Amino acid sequence: MTENGNVMFAEDVHKSFGRLEVLKGISLTVKNGERVCIIGASGSGKSTFLRCINHLEKIDSGRIEVNGHLIGYREDKGRIVEDTENNIAKQRSEIGMVFQRFNLFPHMTALENVIEAPIRVRKISKAVAVKQGEALLARVGLADKRDVYPGKLSGGQQQRVAIARALAMRPALMLFDEPTSALDPEVIGEVLDVMKALAFDMGTTMIVVTHEMGFAREVADRVVMMDDGRIIEEGPPSHFFDNPREDRTKQFLSKIL
């Protein structure tokens, strides 16, 4: 966290894939403990922006900082140049990310998935990692699944393991990229409940790309509407859902609420 309380700072971020400009000057600041939900139609650039925060996609221009550090880049004699893989890995350790697909290692148990990165990246002892990993699995309601492989877990259980795995690195910022979109309807609630607990019990700083408007209304401090690669409106849920300003926001909400 920086002196002004910012955990994530993005300024005039542009990203294109070939001739297709996906992000057209995104600027967003997220403060410590803040929960920001990003909504918008498919193709509006939401997931691409999230992937840029974690440097899974390289930005074309602008800057993104987490905890006051440039992500993926460093300043060299007044120019911004791409950083080394080593430094990028260290920067990423500050950011937890939960994907639409769970991306668990299929040959590792739930606990082994959770402790892998802390041991390899944070260099903590296996004994400490196991103790912390068991506590995290208990926190997401999966204490009894520690020795179970992903293939034997439901989609909701796999996503909860993925959340525990991201938390194991003790990140300053958690990113969620439509974490319930690949789940069966009956297990969506169990994942959202875990995310609510992170928000309310742990005070986790979160940026969540979601189509779950009930979750956004209940959990978000701020809702951000993206359309065609731009942020067109943002505000607290009360303003956003009850009195949106932009016609495009009204149109989008009328279709999904």
Side-chain angles (χ1 to χ4, degrees), residues 13-16 21-26 44-45 48-49 52 226 229:
V13 173
H14 288 257
K15 172 66 182 176
S16 296
E21 190 178 13
V22 178
L23 301 180
K24 303 174 181 178
I26 298 289
S44 58
T48 298
F49 177 53
C52 287
M226 283 185 64

Side-chain angles (χ1 to χ4, degrees), residues 26-197:
I26 298 289
S27 296
L28 184 69
T29 301
V30 178
K31 295 198 172 296
N32 184 44
E34 193 175 16
R35 285 97 57 175
V36 174
C37 285
I38 302 178
I39 68 172
S42 296
S44 58
K46 308 181 301 296
S47 293
T48 298
F49 177 53
L50 223 59
R51 291 173 65 83
C52 287
I53 295 174
N54 208 15
H55 200 63
L56 293 173
E57 299 290 353
K58 299 176 184 180
I59 64 175
D60 298 325
S61 62
R63 65 190 292 137
I64 297 174
E65 297 176 5
V66 172
N67 270 358
H69 304 293
L70 278 169
I71 295 298
Y73 301 89
R74 59 186 170 82
E75 298 203 42
D76 182 27
K77 298 174 184 173
R79 295 187 313 124
I80 292 180
V81 298
E82 190 161 12
D83 215 334
T84 64
E85 284 299 323
N86 231 13
N87 284 343
I88 291 170
K90 285 179 188 170
Q91 294 162 355
R92 279 207 189 108
S93 70
E94 296 287 313
I95 307 166
M97 186 152 184
V98 178
F99 300 86
Q100 296 176 29
R101 298 284 169 183
F102 325 119
N103 290 357
L104 298 176
F105 297 116
H107 61 289
M108 293 183 179
T109 64
L111 180 63
E112 287 168 344
N113 266 280
V114 172
I115 68 175
E116 174 76 1
I119 290 172
R120 283 183 178 270
V121 180
R122 294 273 193 223
K123 306 298 183 188
I124 69 173
S125 72
K126 184 172 181 180
V128 171
V130 166
K131 189 174 181 181
Q132 292 175 352
E134 288 174 339
L136 285 168
L137 286 174
R139 178 173 282 279
V140 299
L142 293 174
D144 60 333
K145 302 295 184 184
R146 56 159 279 168
D147 298 320
V148 178
Y149 289 91
K152 299 290 186 182
L153 298 173
S154 71
Q157 289 169 336
Q158 289 186 61
Q159 193 61 297
R160 284 186 280 156
V161 172
I163 292 172
R165 179 178 63 178
L167 288 172
M169 292 294 285
R170 305 200 166 178
L173 173 67
M174 283 285 287
L175 306 177
F176 294 87
D177 186 9
E178 297 191 25
T180 59
S181 65
L183 299 177
D184 294 329
E186 65 266 24
V187 299
I188 287 174
E190 66 189 47
V191 173
L192 293 179
D193 285 345
V194 167
M195 293 170 63
K196 288 174 190 174

